[in-house]
Amino acid sequence: MTVTDPRKDAMTGSRPDLLELHRRMRRIRRFEERAAELYRRSEVPGFVHLSIGQEASAVGACAPLDERDVITSTHRGHGHCLARGLDTESMFAELMGRETGACHGRGGSMHIADPRHGVFGANGIVGAGLPIAVGAATAASMRRTGGVVVAFFGDGAVAQGMFHEAVNLAAVQDLPVVFMCENNHYAEFSSAADQHRAPLSARAAGYGIGYEHVDGNDVAAVTDVVASVVERLRGGSGPVLVEAETYRWHGHYEGDPERYRSPSELEDWKKRDPLLVSRRRLTAAGAEGAAIDAVEAEVEAEIEAAVEAARAAPAPAPSSLFDHVSAPRPSLPEPPEPAGADFRMMDAVKSALEHELAADPDVFVAGIDVGAGGNVFGLTRGLAERFPGRVRDMPISETAIVGTAVGAAMAGMRPIVEIMYMDFIGVCFDQLLNQAAKLRFMTGGRASLPLVVRTQFGAGRSSGSQHSQSLEALLAHVPGLTVVMPSTPADTYGLLRAAVRDPNPVVFVENRLQYGSKGPRPPAEHLVPIGKAKVVREGKDLTLVSYSRMVHDCLAAADAVAAEGIDVEVIDLRTITPLDRETVLASLAKTNRLVIAHEAVRDFGVGAELVAMAANEGFWHLDAPVVRVAPPPMPAPYAPSLERLWLPDADTIATTLRRVAAV
């Protein structure tokens, strides 16, 4: 016989019975056991973190979910992915690095994902899935689909700032998130008691959210609790923290010597094996042992067939090495020069945001004080009233803000989030470095990340070392990120609109000292191609490359030396990465001299990359050394007298042009 319960199955719409829940746990157990064997045989490369002993929490938490719902996972995520519906063959193939893997061999054990099944990724960074879960929940809330997100995390992740930012944001915005803590009592090698002083129940109360505790080794109990929580969230209640108390039988990783716990402790927990608990429940409910054995035999056959299929699958082809790093972007022509009445750079930003919000209901804007406050510079003033619910004020939580963009983009939206100052990128760098930039690649192209992070910078007004940095080289060094830095109001409007429509994560950097600068207004349909530099002054004697506000210093310097017979060609990069090498090299071939000017410190910057390009690809065109004009490698001074010495200006650039032209 089978024992039914009232809960609706996640992927099929049928009602799972206890025997089906047992099947799912057995599938995870055997998958993990075979993964351990394959790892020992060197058939699985890389790290492997197994969840043997924790099967009930994964299956029970996913059982109440349906096609609207999403999970985010951890580095110990095989069980979550299987419980959510990923198939064993593609998962074994992924562990083995095969092309038929769930992520085409790009993710491996710690990064299995498939957004098509609502799996927004296992994650190698502890706690990083939590802000992404908040983003997915933001999308569900805005679309009013009734969708729910289950964010799995371990007890060790509670010490992460990402945990605090995600839970707090979900609480203040009443987002439909189940924060599902699998408390297995160890954070890597450390006991949970050594990591935290406050219990999760107290933390939940502090955030003003619900809390539930459940025996994480009892699949029926976990299913009951999570089903109740999910039902409440679908009805509009706020987030809930569920603590499932369980235990991992294996070490933190395969090969862990496990000196931090006693064999007797492990043996005590094995007596509470989730599969034994489940079998006892089934037997007590009248299920026949033969029926249970038959299910386990079916799982065994499935696992062995999956292993053999994965073994037979091909490795990714060498020709596919560069696949999935970035999504192909639409080809845009260079637009005509704008001829409208002058408007300000700040108007260009607002007009572009307004245009895209009106054009696409999946676009939304989020950031600190962007709604009611209209942004610290007034750039978004009035947008919250015109687009209710789509211009969203956020707590001062940069990691949660960028994580919201990542999760919402994976859910099919086009978020535009603001980091108030470029200097604050360091606070949320993981969500850019390891999430936004890499998830498309690590999922084999299955994750879509059309998001924009707007920020601003600008030295020269005594803002000090923590509010004056030009950090584009830091961002440009991250494969998968696009970095845009416009210099005119028209390009700001056209590039920002293009960035919102781009299928890749774009960091859009404005210079705050230009917000009041003016230039001709382009037509409403104006779009500027990303990745294409522009020759803004023709010349024949020397090529001068820059971007952002310093382009205008370069033009002034070029005009100054023109009276001395030095004809300078000025190039505005506009996009830092992808770098338009062709335009720069074509100009160098014409002028045979190259100078680069930028506001970022000189060492290891964009100028260094252009110097390397000139030496490698343009060497035979060079008639003089390539020279960089940039601040020395030190923090920006506060005192105006020192800042003027530190930051190059038009006179500094002109002096350099004269020197290079004389060689």
Side-chain angles (χ1 to χ4, degrees):
M1 65 175 288
T2 58
V3 182
T4 60
D5 70 19
R7 295 170 291 274
K8 188 175 182 181
D9 180 82
M11 308 310 293
T12 67
S14 63
R15 294 181 181 275
D17 56 29
L18 293 175
L19 190 59
E20 176 58 26
L21 296 175
H22 186 84
R23 177 195 299 275
R24 297 178 191 182
M25 288 196 298
R26 184 67 181 176
R27 180 181 290 119
I28 294 171
R29 173 68 58 85
R30 288 301 295 140
F31 182 95
E32 298 286 60
E33 289 173 344
R34 291 294 279 128
E37 294 165 9
L38 294 167
Y39 179 80
R40 289 194 294 271
R41 295 163 57 103
S42 299
E43 293 186 66
V44 173
F47 299 111
V48 174
H49 305 78
L50 302 181
S51 62
I52 295 174
Q54 299 181 197
E55 297 85 356
S57 58
V59 170
C62 290
L65 306 182
D66 63 30
E67 69 281 351
R68 297 170 291 179
D69 303 322
V70 165
I71 69 166
T72 60
S73 183
T74 72
H75 60 279
R76 199 178 309 284
H78 303 161
H80 308 145
C81 297
L82 288 167
R84 187 67 182 111
L86 268 62
D87 66 281
T88 51
E89 181 179 327
S90 71
M91 286 189 58
F92 274 123
E94 187 60 35
L95 265 61
M96 294 181 187
R98 301 294 202 265
E99 177 61 32
T100 57
C103 302
H104 300 296
R106 269 69 172 185
S109 171
M110 288 192 290
H111 310 115
I112 292 179
D114 192 342
R116 301 172 305 177
H117 287 84
V119 179
F120 278 20
N123 210 300
I125 309 299
V126 173
L130 300 175
I132 296 172
V134 169
T138 298
S141 176
M142 292 178 67
R143 288 172 165 167
R144 301 173 188 254
T145 62
V148 167
V149 180
V150 173
F152 288 99
F153 65 100
D155 51 279
V158 176
Q160 283 279 3
M162 289 182 279
F163 168 82
H164 164 71
E165 291 194 26
V167 177
N168 183 64
L169 177 57
V172 299
Q173 295 192 349
D174 289 322
L175 297 176
V177 186
V178 181
F179 290 101
M180 187 73 190
C181 179
E182 294 178 300
N183 183 354
N184 62 22
H185 299 278
Y186 286 96
E188 297 194 3
F189 304 160
S190 299
S191 161
D194 297 331
Q195 298 282 301
H196 318 290
R197 286 294 178 262
L200 281 176
S201 56
R203 292 176 184 272
Y207 291 113
I209 66 173
Y211 170 81
E212 300 282 351
H213 182 276
V214 66
D215 180 354
N217 284 12
D218 185 338
V219 70
V222 176
T223 305
D224 283 340
V225 167
V226 176
S228 173
V229 170
V230 166
E231 184 178 2
R232 301 202 306 265
L233 265 60
R234 295 203 200 283
S237 72
V240 175
L241 197 161
V242 177
E243 182 177 11
E245 195 166 352
T246 183
Y247 196 82
R248 59 170 163 86
W249 292 11
H250 283 223
H252 170 59
Y253 57 88
E254 289 304 280
D256 176 0
E258 300 184 63
R259 297 189 181 95
Y260 47 87
R261 62 181 181 182
S262 67
S264 61
E265 178 182 292
L266 176 59
E267 289 308 310
D268 286 344
W269 274 95
K270 283 187 175 182
K271 296 172 185 175
R272 297 168 57 186
D273 180 351
L275 288 159
L276 291 179
V277 173
S278 173
R279 193 172 185 111
R280 285 196 292 267
R281 274 188 176 274
L282 284 164
T283 301
E288 296 178 0
I292 304 171
D293 292 341
V295 163
E296 295 186 351
E298 290 168 7
V299 168
E300 187 68 26
E302 174 194 340
I303 293 294
E304 291 310 307
V307 169
E308 292 308 312
R311 280 174 169 157
S319 60
S320 72
L321 174 63
F322 298 103
D323 290 357
H324 315 304
V325 175
S326 295
R329 55 175 38 98
S331 177
L332 296 173
E334 182 68 33
E337 288 295 322
D342 280 358
F343 77 145
R344 298 172 300 175
M345 182 84 87
M346 62 191 302
D347 300 324
V349 173
K350 181 178 178 180
S351 296
L353 296 176
E354 193 168 26
H355 190 290
E356 294 307 307
L357 283 163
D360 187 347
D362 286 330
V363 172
F364 70 93
V365 174
I368 301 164
D369 295 327
V370 299
N375 166 274
V376 68
F377 299 102
L379 304 181
T380 58
R381 196 167 293 151
L383 293 182
E385 291 78 15
R386 183 174 174 191
F387 303 98
R390 294 174 58 204
V391 182
R392 303 170 69 88
D393 281 324
M394 308 285 271
I396 302 176
S397 303
E398 284 82 3
T399 291
I401 290 169
V402 180
T404 291
V406 173
M410 292 180 73
M413 302 195 80
R414 291 185 175 272
I416 309 165
V417 298
E418 179 182 300
I419 299 300
M420 190 180 291
Y421 282 78
M422 195 179 194
D423 312 73
F424 305 164
I425 288 289
V427 180
C428 58
F429 196 44
D430 174 73
Q431 288 293 322
L432 287 169
L433 169 70
N434 286 316
Q435 312 306 326
K438 293 184 174 68
L439 282 173
R440 175 179 167 80
F441 178 77
M442 291 194 304
T443 61
R446 287 179 173 165
S448 179
L449 279 302
L451 64 91
V452 176
V453 177
R454 278 189 53 252
T455 190
Q456 55 78 26
F457 78 112
R461 296 287 175 83
S462 291
S463 297
S465 300
Q466 294 181 347
H467 285 72
S468 302
Q469 298 170 93
S470 187
L471 301 173
E472 63 275 8
L474 185 68
L475 297 166
H477 194 67
V478 179
L481 286 184
T482 295
V483 183
V484 176
M485 299 183 73
S487 68
T488 68
D491 279 353
T492 297
Y493 176 84
L495 283 166
L496 182 50
R497 285 194 58 225
V500 175
R501 297 177 176 217
D502 199 83
N504 298 291
V506 179
V507 182
F508 192 90
V509 186
E510 302 143 16
N511 190 301
R512 65 177 173 274
L513 273 64
Q514 289 189 281
Y515 282 147
S517 65
K518 295 180 179 180
R521 182 188 290 272
E525 66 273 12
H526 188 74
L527 287 168
V528 175
I530 289 175
K532 184 64 178 173
K534 184 178 182 180
V535 177
V536 294
R537 187 186 193 279
E538 298 279 352
K540 64 180 186 335
D541 296 331
L542 191 151
T543 298
L544 176 57
V545 180
S546 192
Y547 50 91
S548 191
R549 186 176 69 94
M550 198 161 276
V551 168
H552 300 281
D553 288 332
C554 289
L555 288 169
D559 288 343
V561 300
E564 304 164 27
I566 303 171
D567 192 12
V568 177
E569 181 153 293
V570 179
I571 295 175
D572 181 357
L573 287 179
R574 303 192 296 192
T575 301
I576 307 305
T577 180
L579 183 62
D580 185 354
R581 300 171 183 271
E582 292 77 12
T583 295
V584 176
L585 288 170
S587 180
L588 177 59
K590 179 171 66 170
T591 68
N592 307 118
R593 287 170 169 79
L594 178 62
V595 173
I596 306 114
H598 54 62
E599 195 170 312
V601 295
R602 180 190 62 235
D603 292 16
F604 306 100
V606 175
E609 180 63 28
L610 288 167
V611 171
M613 182 188 72
N616 184 39
E617 300 167 55
F619 179 79
W620 300 109
H621 297 301
L622 288 171
D623 288 343
V626 182
V627 178
R628 292 170 290 169
V629 182
M634 57 172 284
Y638 170 75
S641 58
L642 296 178
E643 190 175 34
R644 283 192 296 270
L645 288 172
W646 175 79
L647 185 65
D649 58 13
D651 290 340
T652 312
I653 297 168
T655 299
T656 304
L657 295 174
R658 294 184 187 101
R659 177 164 56 88
V660 174
V663 174

